[in-house]
Amino acid sequence: DIVMTQSPLSLPVTPGEPASISCRSSQSLLHSNGYNYLDWYLQKPGQSPQVLIYLASNRASGVPDRFSGSGSGTEFTLKISTVEAEDVGVYYCMEALQSPHTFGQGTRLEIK
Amino acid sequence: EVQLVESGGGLVQPGGSLRISCAASGFTFSTYWMHWVRQAPGKGLVWVSHISGDGSRSNYADSVKGRFTISRDNAKNTMYLQMNSLTAEDTALYYCMGWSRTSGGQWGQGTLVTVST
């Protein structure tokens, strides 16, 4: 099974400041089709998860452009250029390459 | 607009069975791999099972293999999870998720399964 490791697990951020979350996989997520099968999800308090980024760097429909994803192989990063109050919640990376699909432990972003 | 609506959750005794459903709309259901993901109270997301668009392929997490069965009815745009031999460790909010390479994962609101006496 692929192990997904996120850091940090807790992320206090001042509004207007940038934030970055790292996700590492124990195996490469690069498919032979050239895509990295890594998604980023945000679970806001009391809500279902929502997709932010799919295939490592594709911003989902309706997601603000302050969110961006990068990386390839086994190392990936989610960046928020300027954090807003509405960005609080738990961020998860998920490998979509092979089953059993696995999630990172989650990174809780809070506003300072 | 993609919409996924789970139903069928509830309270069940240890050793009991339950079938939960996920009704889909707003997309071509038969082209999506569909997943079940669960979240125990206060915990993270855990993948449970998935099924291919035509229903011919499926897989399970080790923790549910042999007890849970995933299925889908493309004519009804609905996916199911039959859960047998339930234990307290299966208590969780169960989400259905539809995944595609062009949109990532779309999630429902979840249905709560509680295993308790």
Side-chain angles (χ1 to χ4, degrees):
Chain A
D1 299 0
I2 298 175
V3 177
M4 307 298 290
T5 304
Q6 287 182 231
S7 63
L9 300 185
S10 178
L11 185 57
V13 185
T14 300
E17 293 296 306
S20 178
I21 301 171
S22 170
C23 178
R24 293 184 175 181
S25 58
S26 60
Q27 299 174 35
S28 175
L29 301 184
L30 180 61
H31 192 278
S32 56
N33 61 17
Y35 293 106
N36 285 278
Y37 278 61
L38 185 284
D39 297 342
W40 289 98
Y41 297 93
L42 165 60
Q43 188 172 31
K44 295 183 177 181
Q47 296 186 18
S48 306
Q50 61 187 85
V51 62
L52 296 175
I53 303 290
Y54 62 97
L55 297 180
S57 60
N58 295 275
R59 195 179 305 113
S61 177
V63 174
D65 60 8
R66 64 179 180 275
F67 291 93
S68 64
S70 62
S72 183
T74 62
E75 300 211 7
F76 302 89
T77 302
L78 175 71
K79 292 184 178 179
I80 309 173
S81 59
T82 52
V83 171
E84 298 188 5
E86 66 181 24
D87 300 335
V88 297
V90 182
Y91 291 77
Y92 295 93
C93 59
M94 185 199 86
E95 66 85 6
L97 183 66
Q98 64 184 51
S99 61
H101 299 291
T102 47
F103 292 86
Q105 313 97 303
T107 296
R108 184 174 300 276
L109 186 149
E110 61 178 43
I111 299 296
K112 284 184 181 176
Chain B
E1 178 192 0
V2 171
Q3 191 167 14
L4 297 168
V5 179
E6 301 93 334
S7 61
L11 176 63
V12 59
Q13 292 191 336
S17 298
L18 200 64
R19 189 179 83 156
I20 58 177
S21 303
C22 170
S25 61
F27 64 104
T28 307
F29 182 67
S30 62
T31 65
Y32 274 58
W33 279 79
M34 295 298 296
H35 304 252
W36 288 103
V37 177
R38 68 185 181 184
Q39 187 171 37
K43 302 296 185 181
L45 301 172
V46 177
W47 180 83
V48 173
S49 179
H50 72 182
I51 188 167
S52 60
D54 64 2
S56 63
R57 289 168 287 167
S58 61
N59 203 2
Y60 302 89
D62 285 346
S63 58
V64 306
K65 200 169 291 185
R67 300 188 299 123
F68 289 13
T69 302
I70 192 171
S71 62
R72 65 191 297 161
D73 184 340
N74 286 347
K76 295 182 177 180
N77 285 356
T78 302
M79 174 179 67
Y80 307 96
L81 188 67
Q82 176 67 43
M83 303 182 290
N84 299 330
S85 303
L86 286 161
T87 72
E89 287 65 45
D90 297 314
T91 294
L93 188 59
Y94 284 73
Y95 293 105
C96 72
M97 178 185 70
W99 194 92
S100 82
R101 223 170 60 183
T102 58
S103 64
Q106 309 297 314
W107 300 67
Q109 86 290 345
T111 187
L112 182 62
V113 174
T114 303
V115 185
S116 175
T117 56

